[in-house]
Amino acid sequence: MTDLTLTKALKIITSALAKGKELGLKPLAVVVLDAGGHVKAFQRQDGASMMRFEIASGKAYGALAVGVGSRWLNTQAETRPHFLEGLSAVSGGKIVAVPGGVLLKDRKGAIIGAVGITGDTSDNDELAAIAGIEAAGFTPDAG
């Protein structure tokens, strides 16, 4: 099993932000959570609006909570809103059910954390998360 070190978490963030710059995205906020949902690292670009930490964390936390990327949660919100209402209630409102929360897996497929990004469209946030995860040598699972 490959550990999610601070060095790897920072590599994810810098690579995700570089992808955002390459794509011309709006200012992003990126959080990396470990498998237990604890913050490993966070950065918010200049110009990113307030509450970006909470949104990015909610995307990553939601992915960890159900073991699949937040794109799946978004689909559930559309097709099974009662499920998302219940999940939101039991999580204390911590889950943001839109794309941009991507699971982080090691070489054996074990979930070792999640990345949450916010600031641009949810689809673009997800692209940046995937780029960061891959640059650090992990496997992304966007759901």
Side-chain angles (χ1 to χ4, degrees):
M1 176 198 240
T2 305
D3 289 332
L4 177 58
T5 63
L6 179 58
T7 300
K8 289 282 190 175
L10 293 173
K11 173 72 174 173
I12 291 167
I13 291 171
T14 57
S15 299
L17 294 177
K19 185 66 171 182
K21 183 176 181 180
E22 173 192 321
L23 296 174
L25 304 185
K26 294 176 185 174
L28 301 176
V30 184
V31 67
V32 179
L33 304 182
D34 66 18
H38 302 99
V39 176
K40 193 73 175 181
F42 171 74
Q43 289 186 4
R44 182 179 63 86
Q45 289 182 304
D46 295 340
S49 62
M50 65 179 278
M51 298 221 39
R52 291 298 172 184
F53 172 77
E54 293 82 359
I55 297 166
S57 294
K59 290 180 179 188
Y61 189 86
L64 284 170
V66 296
V68 67
S70 64
R71 180 169 292 280
W72 180 85
L73 283 169
N74 185 64
T75 301
Q76 299 309 302
E78 293 170 354
T79 61
R80 297 172 50 206
H82 60 283
F83 172 73
L84 255 293
E85 288 173 21
L87 190 59
S88 180
V90 299
S91 74
K94 292 181 183 179
I95 294 172
V96 177
V98 296
V102 180
L103 291 177
L104 179 62
K105 295 184 174 182
D106 67 12
R107 288 183 217 123
K108 294 182 180 180
I111 297 170
I112 59 170
V115 175
I117 299 187
T118 185
D120 204 90
T121 67
S122 293
D123 289 338
N124 286 337
D125 295 344
E126 183 180 86
L127 287 174
I130 290 169
I133 291 167
E134 289 175 343
F138 297 113
T139 302
D141 181 353

